[in-house]
Amino acid sequence: MAPTLTTAFARRWWMAVTAVIENLLFSAVLLGWGSLLIMLKSEGFYSYMCTEPANTSSLLNLTLSPASSASSKEEYEYDYYPEQGGVEVRPLHPEENIRMGGWLVCKEQDEMLNMAFTVGSFLLSAITLPLGIVMDKYGPRKLRLLGSACFAFSCLLIAYGAYNPNELSVLIFVALTFNGFGGMCMTFTSLTLPNMFGDLRSTFIALMIGSYASSAVTFPGVKVIYDLGVSFITILVVWAGCAGLVFFNCFFNWPLEPFPAPENMDYTVKIKFSWLGFDHKITGKQFYQQVTTVGRRLSVGNSLKQKELSTKDGHKLCLSTMDLEVQCKPKEESQSFMKSILSPLFMLSLVTMCVTQLRLIFYMGAMNNILETLSGGDLNTVERMELVSLYTSIFGVMQLLCLMTTPVIGQIMDWKLKECDDGDSEEKKQLSKDQPQPKRRDRQIQKITNATRAFVFTNILLVGFGITCLIPNLPLQMLSFVLHTIVRGFIHSCIGGLYAAVYPSSQFGSLTGMQSLVSALFALLQQPLFMAMMGPLEGDPMWVNVGLLGVSMLGFMLPVYLIYFRSQLRKKRKEKDNEAKIFMKINGSNCPEAFV
């Protein structure tokens, strides 16, 4: 049976800790594609697309003279046999028979597996729009249960495909589809959990996003176990079993109801009136308002109305829950969903997210090929593959930086929010006029200021990452790994914090889903960019990186608009303060209940 919101609030720390662990192991693990690609090649996925190298020598029935043989290209060695009437042609640098785990590897295999990664990574973001709409309406519980089941099924599919890769390689497309869907269900549902932590909501959102981004370390960790000799199929079956534990944890701890935003629900209100017979699901401020309404009815004194109520239709007081519901109508949304997605702020956030996602996704998809290009020179093929494998493992381990650095951007988003004034707090309005009230910052303006700083910092790091990608130096890619990891965690945290600060909480999931869908569609451009790099550009990523660096500059449009948006908010706040200087006191109260 699903717990209530009150029970879930009591278990919020357990849910937060387990959500971080579950995100690390079961959310966006496809971000560690480089390590998974090596394991899939070693297990023979799409190896049948590769062909054996041609014979190193061949006897051609040609009538060539030794003179003409000497003038031929130096890449080949020729021997003339007059008795047989032919020439034997031998390449000076014969094509090497490249194998991984006993299976042939080739360029065609890379392109097919990269296409599977594109499909999985696309679903990792594109599915968030319907997920957000469903979650805003029905809560995260059912989606999280579905996501854990889909992830377990994807692991079993990959294991089944590895059993006979020559016939079942196509299952990798289906498996990565379920993996992307299940992983995004896990990630997206965890983003509502920070609502239970009040003013630290942005920090916990950043922590959840950090654990999601750090899940790229999972496949490198699996590769370490794989290199120790553990069967690939065994690893995946055990992994699927662990996903079952996530299912049961969600079943026993996550409530059916959506988590209300901190401004709509106060979990710290503790009032016990069991004799009133309230529904056990009533919690927080709504419960407080209902009890306040009941208290006012019970304190009317010994009036005739009270006597009539106590003796009418039985000799007990019967309270109407319908009246209580009328007293607790939620506030209407300040703007519609269509108005939100058509706002300039949301449009610019889409631009920022699209260019950032394309920049990051392209680097992850083409990283192995880029590293192979940078590790050229005197290294032979085996040494080059070992070096690429080492750098891939280092990149995977560095993904833990997301978990360690995203709380930093969360703290920037939450900076000095505790010192701010909500502008509608009734308790602060009840201060005596003789008491000097210190001037406090406006909470909305402070959130916009924090978001501006966060986006400027993140875009500077993104430009720095683009510059390091332009420098053809292999050791410098360590710095690229660090910047890539930090930017990937920061950008999602900034977007989530911005939507939570500006738009109604009931639209958070839908807006985040829309943003993820559009950015995922735009990120599909990484496949033609990859094909261009491998084809016309002959594996050289320089011109692609130059173009992506130029596009990354568009990310600065959002913080520029945020500065303008903040100035507009300050102007409105100033006008409101000038209009509200005189108030009338009603019934001798110190509370300003009407303005003139």
Side-chain angles (χ1 to χ4, degrees), residues 74-208:
E74 296 182 356
E75 284 78 5
Y76 296 92
E77 182 180 12
Y78 301 91
D79 286 331
Y80 180 63
Y81 295 92
E83 297 84 1
Q84 301 179 10
V87 178
E88 182 182 13
V89 182
R90 293 192 302 272
L92 293 177
H93 305 286
E95 183 180 356
E96 296 188 42
N97 192 2
I98 305 175
R99 294 179 180 268
M100 294 182 66
W103 297 88
L104 284 172
V105 296
C106 59
K107 174 183 174 183
E108 291 77 12
Q109 180 190 34
D110 280 340
E111 293 177 352
M112 185 61 70
L113 291 176
N114 189 74
M115 186 180 299
F117 167 70
T118 302
V119 173
S121 60
F122 168 74
L123 284 176
L124 201 62
S125 299
I127 201 66
T128 52
L129 178 58
L131 287 183
I133 296 174
V134 172
M135 189 175 65
D136 285 342
K137 187 172 183 179
Y138 299 107
R141 175 184 170 88
K142 295 179 181 179
L143 284 179
R144 197 167 184 86
L145 292 174
L146 178 63
S148 58
C150 288
F151 189 93
F153 182 62
S154 72
C155 292
L156 295 178
L157 275 181
I158 298 176
Y160 183 58
Y163 178 75
N164 186 8
N166 286 332
E167 301 292 336
L168 303 174
S169 291
V170 69
L171 289 181
I172 193 65
F173 281 87
V174 182
L176 294 186
T177 299
F178 277 96
N179 192 286
F181 174 78
M184 187 47 65
C185 285
M186 301 289 293
T187 304
F188 214 58
T189 53
S190 67
L191 294 180
T192 61
L193 187 60
N195 284 346
M196 294 194 292
F197 293 91
D199 288 335
L200 295 176
R201 176 171 59 173
S202 293
T203 299
F204 274 88
I205 287 177
L207 187 63
M208 295 301 166

Side-chain angles (χ1 to χ4, degrees), residues 80 141 204 309 311 376 556 569:
Y80 180 63
R141 175 184 170 88
F204 274 88
L309 286 173
T311 58
F556 287 98
L569 289 178

Side-chain angles (χ1 to χ4, degrees), residues 21 23 114 128 197 238 264 266 330-331 339 356 365 382 456 467 549 563 583:
I21 298 174
N23 283 350
N114 189 74
T128 52
F197 293 91
V238 173
N264 297 331
D266 186 0
K331 294 181 180 180
K339 185 177 180 180
T356 306
V382 177
V456 169
I467 293 173
L549 177 61
I563 294 174
F583 63 88

Side-chain angles (χ1 to χ4, degrees), residues 36-50:
L36 176 61
L37 179 62
I38 294 175
M39 290 186 287
L40 292 177
K41 288 182 177 181
S42 299
E43 291 297 317
F45 279 84
Y46 285 109
S47 180
Y48 64 84
M49 300 184 69
C50 305

Side-chain angles (χ1 to χ4, degrees), residues 476-504:
L476 186 64
Q477 296 309 302
M478 295 289 187
L479 179 58
S480 298
F481 292 168
V482 173
L483 293 175
H484 181 281
T485 303
I486 295 176
V487 169
R488 190 158 50 83
F490 277 17
I491 190 63
H492 288 92
S493 301
C494 291
I495 292 291
L498 179 65
Y499 291 169
V502 176
Y503 298 107

